[in-house]
Amino acid sequence: MTQLLTAFTAIALGVGGVLVLFWGLNVAVDRTNEKTQDKLRPWVFIGPAMLVVTLFLLVPAVDTFRRSFLGPASQEFVGLANYEYLVTDPQVRTAIWNNLLWILIVPAVSVAIGLVVAVLADRMSETWEKISKSLIFLPMAISFVGASTIWGFIYAWRTPGTPQIGLLNAIWTAFGNEPVGWLQNFAINDFALMAIMIWLQTGFAMVLLSAAIKNVPVDTIEAARVDGASEIAIFWRVIVPQIRSTIVVVATTILILVLKIFDIVYVMTDGNYGTDVIANLFIRTMFNFGQFGQAAVLVVFLIVVTVPFMIINIRRFREQEAMR
């Protein structure tokens, strides 16, 4: 009860504090002359947000970059030793390779399945469209840890000759096959983990792509049909070009999410059996081994890789806004 009261008090103070802050600043601006008001008012509204971003994002990022040149305890200067670790350590190479696989496969498959579902659902009756979209979107409401727990029971493996509690192995062994260690087999465990993320993100891709498809002018589709184009030709030559910006935005959004992938790998394998990724390696390097400098350089690597995709995403978003 006390914790609940504390939570409500914190929310009330936080929301109320923001309202009071904006109200007070607005009143202060209103008391200046009209010319000054025009100059100050935009900063009144974006200033607090910029301050928060600077304090909680930019300052930690700059400090992390500084620590990437320091030793394990973040005290002595070690030059580029941590960056040498980044490019030479076998564990880092494995993590980078796995991240690369996630980047190549997860966004592409999620967008492809989401696009197929969006097109098929668009041709259903209104009732079945709502039902099918709700079912596909449902996993989005589940946390990464919750989804990993669910899929943990699907991938569960027991030694041959013992009852299989995992769904996949129960089906697989029912046909007389030996049980498969889906998370222990080096050839398939990465893809087994990616399937969880694809399951979670397909609903997100479907919703945005379905909205984009519904905005495609019907006249262009009807004109193509009058000209004798097949449905497949209409899809690739009429619909896809008009929703290209949305496809790119969805793909880059999922890609940025994939770059930070941690929860699924941590819960399912903790990076064992060759499934490690950069974020999981960072946690282990920093908190298990106390190597702050090496952990910092892993974060710097993630930031450097993520920024270009964020820029692409913002540019595509601006293009979409300009077209409206």
Side-chain angles (χ1 to χ4, degrees), residues 6 38 61 113 118 139 178 208 226 231 256 260 273 316 324:
T6 302
D38 293 338
I113 297 176
E178 291 292 318
L208 295 187
V226 170
E231 291 300 317
I256 292 170
K260 300 178 290 184
Y273 313 111
R316 290 294 179 183
R324 293 180 180 178

Side-chain angles (χ1 to χ4, degrees), residues 145-201:
V145 174
S148 302
T149 304
I150 294 171
W151 281 80
F153 287 110
I154 295 176
Y155 290 142
W157 172 83
R158 296 291 182 270
T159 53
T162 58
Q164 298 296 321
I165 64 169
L167 177 62
L168 283 181
N169 272 324
I171 297 173
W172 185 248
T173 55
F175 292 98
N177 301 306
E178 291 292 318
V180 176
W182 304 99
L183 300 178
Q184 292 77 24
N185 189 320
F186 282 67
I188 58 175
N189 52 12
D190 274 322
F191 303 106
L193 296 178
M194 292 176 201
I196 303 172
M197 180 62 91
I198 293 169
W199 180 66
L200 289 169
Q201 293 302 312

